[in-house]
Amino acid sequence: MPSSLDRTDRALLAALQDNARLTVSELADQVALTTSPCWRRVKLLEDNGYITGYQAILSPKSLGFGVTAFVSIMMDSHTKEMALAFERRLMEIPEIVACHNISGRYDFLLEILARDLESFGEFTREVLQRLPGVKEIYSSFSYKAVKERRVIPVSEKHI
């Protein structure tokens, strides 16, 4: 229910998206609250599902991942059971960092990290082609990330 968010809630969400390591005191200063009400509001945002977790943003390049691939998957069957088996298996594969069930010609769009093109090729042959129900695989490669950080718009104009 986005309409239940007020200006302070939006400011809290924006500040935490920018830096989730802020202390409650620092966060309270940024949104002009005292620490106790600030903590209660953040807890309520978490409890109501607006905040689903906190994580560090890692550099794939620094960790040795030189290739980011976007892989479109066409399924050979569109049964619920096949989709669930495919999705369950995807969750076990760490190189797949994002997956979307999409409309159009393909059924799924995956974002995959690999050390280099050779290791991506091996991953495709040994892992992707063996996923349940895969009929067709189409890969595209990122030359560079133009807008990498996922920031959800929280201004009143947007929600």
Side-chain angles (χ1 to χ4, degrees), residues 121-140:
E122 184 178 325
F123 178 81
T124 300
R125 288 184 303 278
E126 300 298 321
V127 178
L128 294 182
Q129 290 178 347
R130 295 180 182 184
L131 288 170
V134 171
K135 176 181 179 181
E136 185 179 319
I137 297 172
Y138 178 83
S139 301
S140 298

Side-chain angles (χ1 to χ4, degrees), residues 68-132:
T68 299
F70 294 92
V71 176
S72 299
I73 302 283
M74 181 187 295
M75 304 298 288
D76 64 7
S77 167
H78 292 90
T79 66
K80 183 177 182 177
E81 294 78 20
M82 183 60 68
L84 289 174
F86 178 82
E87 292 171 13
R88 273 194 302 273
R89 180 65 183 106
L90 285 183
M91 300 304 285
E92 301 168 358
I93 304 169
E95 293 89 348
I96 300 173
V97 297
C99 173
H100 294 268
N101 185 205
I102 59 173
S103 65
R105 177 178 179 178
Y106 293 97
D107 300 299
F108 291 93
L109 178 64
L110 314 178
E111 181 178 355
I112 298 173
L113 297 178
R115 297 219 173 273
D116 51 36
L117 285 175
E118 185 178 342
S119 64
F120 176 77
E122 184 178 325
F123 178 81
T124 300
R125 288 184 303 278
E126 300 298 321
V127 178
L128 294 182
Q129 290 178 347
R130 295 180 182 184
L131 288 170

Side-chain angles (χ1 to χ4, degrees), residues 36-62:
S36 291
C38 180
W39 180 86
R40 281 193 297 272
R41 278 185 177 249
V42 170
K43 181 78 174 111
L44 198 56
L45 289 167
E46 292 169 351
D47 292 345
N48 289 330
Y50 292 104
I51 299 172
T52 59
Y54 301 87
Q55 77 183 87
I57 300 168
L58 306 181
S59 166
K61 185 177 180 180
S62 295

